[in-house]
């Protein structure tokens, strides 16, 4: 159960961070419809990509750790 919950919490954390970024972009676009939201969108894509990379790395580490315990 512990192995499953680690990956599940990583998924929720990644989803929450990306959703928060999208909400910030929506608010900025509604307040300032100009070039600024485009820059924020690119920054959001960059940070979301880094978060996905970290998520994948941690998921592989957790899976490797759980497989190591079964041997």
């Amino acid at each position: 159960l512990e192995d499953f919950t680690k990956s599940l919490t990583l998924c929720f954390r990644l989803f929450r961070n990306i959703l928060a970024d999208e909400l910030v972009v929506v608010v900025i676009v509604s307040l300032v419809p100009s070039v600024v939201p485009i820059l924020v969108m690119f920054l959001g894509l960059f940070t979301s990509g880094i978060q996905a990379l970290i998520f994948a790395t941690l998921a592989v580490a957790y899976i490797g750790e759980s497989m190591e315990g079964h041997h």
Side-chain angles (χ1 to χ4, degrees):
L1 185 63
E2 180 182 349
D3 296 332
F4 176 72
T5 57
K6 284 182 181 179
S7 298
L8 187 65
T9 58
L10 282 174
C11 288
F12 284 139
R13 208 175 315 157
L14 181 65
F15 174 75
R16 183 195 66 212
N17 289 342
I18 292 173
L19 180 67
D21 175 59
E22 290 300 318
L23 290 175
V24 167
V25 169
V26 166
V27 169
I28 290 176
V29 166
S30 67
L31 294 176
V32 185
S34 65
V35 176
V36 175
I38 294 173
L39 297 174
V40 173
M41 286 181 198
F42 283 123
L43 181 63
L45 284 173
F46 177 71
T47 57
S48 297
I50 290 176
Q51 289 175 10
L53 178 67
I54 291 171
F55 167 75
T57 305
L58 287 174
V60 167
Y62 289 153
I63 290 169
E65 181 181 299
S66 69
M67 295 300 285
E68 188 175 283
H70 291 295
H71 289 239

